[in-house]
Amino acid sequence: METKTERSELTLAAILDTSLAMAAADGLDSLTIGEVAKRLGLSKSGVFSRIGSREALQAAVIDEYGRRFLADVFTPAMREPRGLPRLNAIMRLWMQRARDVEIKMGCLYSAGAFEFDDREGPLRELLLTHVQRWRSALRRTVLQAVEVGHLPADLDPDQLVFEIDGLFVALMREARFLRDPRAADRAWTAYERIIRSLQVSSPR
């Protein structure tokens, strides 16, 4: 028999799941306590008691998206050896998540960047922190590939991060707006071409 705490945790998980789907499809501004309550068949006070204000709901959604993103992409890739094996694993897992989640629901990082590009405030800062944290993780992985000799010593890591991160912005537009079913394959082909153009033939 479920305890009150277990039921509360299940309800919170349902609130976050529903809110994530809403934010990915229609933007963070689409989130309201009332609409989330309506979709879940709960009272507004029931949602508020578990999540707090609308702003707290929006912040919780950004944090939950970031947690799931890292759990799906970055954490499992850390099992791979440093260098290109790890960077390639990150890219494969990122592409797989794009196929399984973002292409179907939308990407909060990409859509949110456009939604908040000219709007100041705590939500923009929180989203920016998550995106910068992810790009920093990518940069560390690129630098490790340089350190082990898989990529050239004179590589500009910020340029490579810009290029591979940009692949996913293009991927989301191609897949969701242009509805190209080959978008993820094209993005992977572009990534492989970039790495081949940089790769050191005989690692140290």
Side-chain angles (χ1 to χ4, degrees):
M1 187 174 180
E2 289 180 346
T3 66
K4 183 176 180 181
T5 299
E6 288 171 335
R7 286 195 301 273
S8 180
E9 289 174 352
L10 287 171
T11 303
L12 178 58
I15 290 170
L16 288 174
D17 283 342
T18 297
S19 301
L20 270 169
M22 290 173 60
D26 301 315
L28 284 162
D29 260 354
S30 71
L31 295 178
T32 66
I33 299 294
E35 184 59 28
V36 172
K38 179 181 176 182
R39 294 194 184 197
L40 287 171
L42 299 172
S43 65
K44 289 184 181 181
S45 60
V47 173
F48 186 86
S49 67
R50 289 169 174 83
I51 204 74
S53 66
R54 178 180 183 241
E55 291 73 21
L57 173 64
Q58 292 169 316
V61 164
I62 294 172
D63 286 337
E64 181 64 12
Y65 183 87
R67 186 193 68 77
R68 295 186 188 190
F69 186 89
L70 290 177
D72 288 345
V73 177
F74 190 73
T75 302
M78 291 302 99
R79 304 187 189 109
E80 298 296 327
R82 287 158 50 104
L84 278 182
R86 185 173 295 178
L87 182 61
N88 289 339
I90 287 173
M91 296 303 290
R92 282 195 300 271
L93 290 162
W94 199 357
M95 294 283 183
Q96 188 58 54
R97 179 180 161 90
R99 293 178 191 270
D100 294 342
V101 180
E102 275 83 13
I103 288 176
K104 298 174 183 176
M105 296 177 57
C107 174
L108 196 61
Y109 286 166
S110 296
F114 289 105
E115 186 178 359
F116 287 91
D117 59 356
D118 58 355
R119 294 166 56 184
E120 302 301 325
L123 282 181
R124 184 189 194 281
E125 292 305 311
L126 179 60
L127 185 62
L128 179 62
T129 296
H130 276 269
V131 172
Q132 289 178 329
R133 185 182 301 151
W134 170 237
R135 286 172 67 101
S136 294
L138 275 179
R139 190 178 189 277
R140 284 195 305 273
T141 307
V142 167
L143 286 173
Q144 289 168 359
V146 173
E147 289 168 5
V148 299
H150 294 165
L151 294 175
D154 61 352
L155 176 76
D156 180 349
D158 295 314
Q159 179 64 33
L160 182 54
V161 168
F162 174 88
E163 291 177 14
I164 60 180
D165 191 26
L167 288 176
F168 282 86
V169 177
L171 166 58
M172 294 310 300
R173 187 188 67 177
E174 296 286 317
R176 289 184 58 79
F177 184 64
L178 298 179
R179 297 177 182 171
D180 181 357
R182 300 164 297 175
D185 294 331
R186 292 189 187 283
W188 179 254
T189 298
Y191 169 71
E192 288 187 313
R193 183 179 295 128
I194 291 169
I195 294 301
R196 279 198 305 270
S197 73
L198 297 171
Q199 195 168 357
V200 175
S201 56
S202 300
R204 293 190 294 270

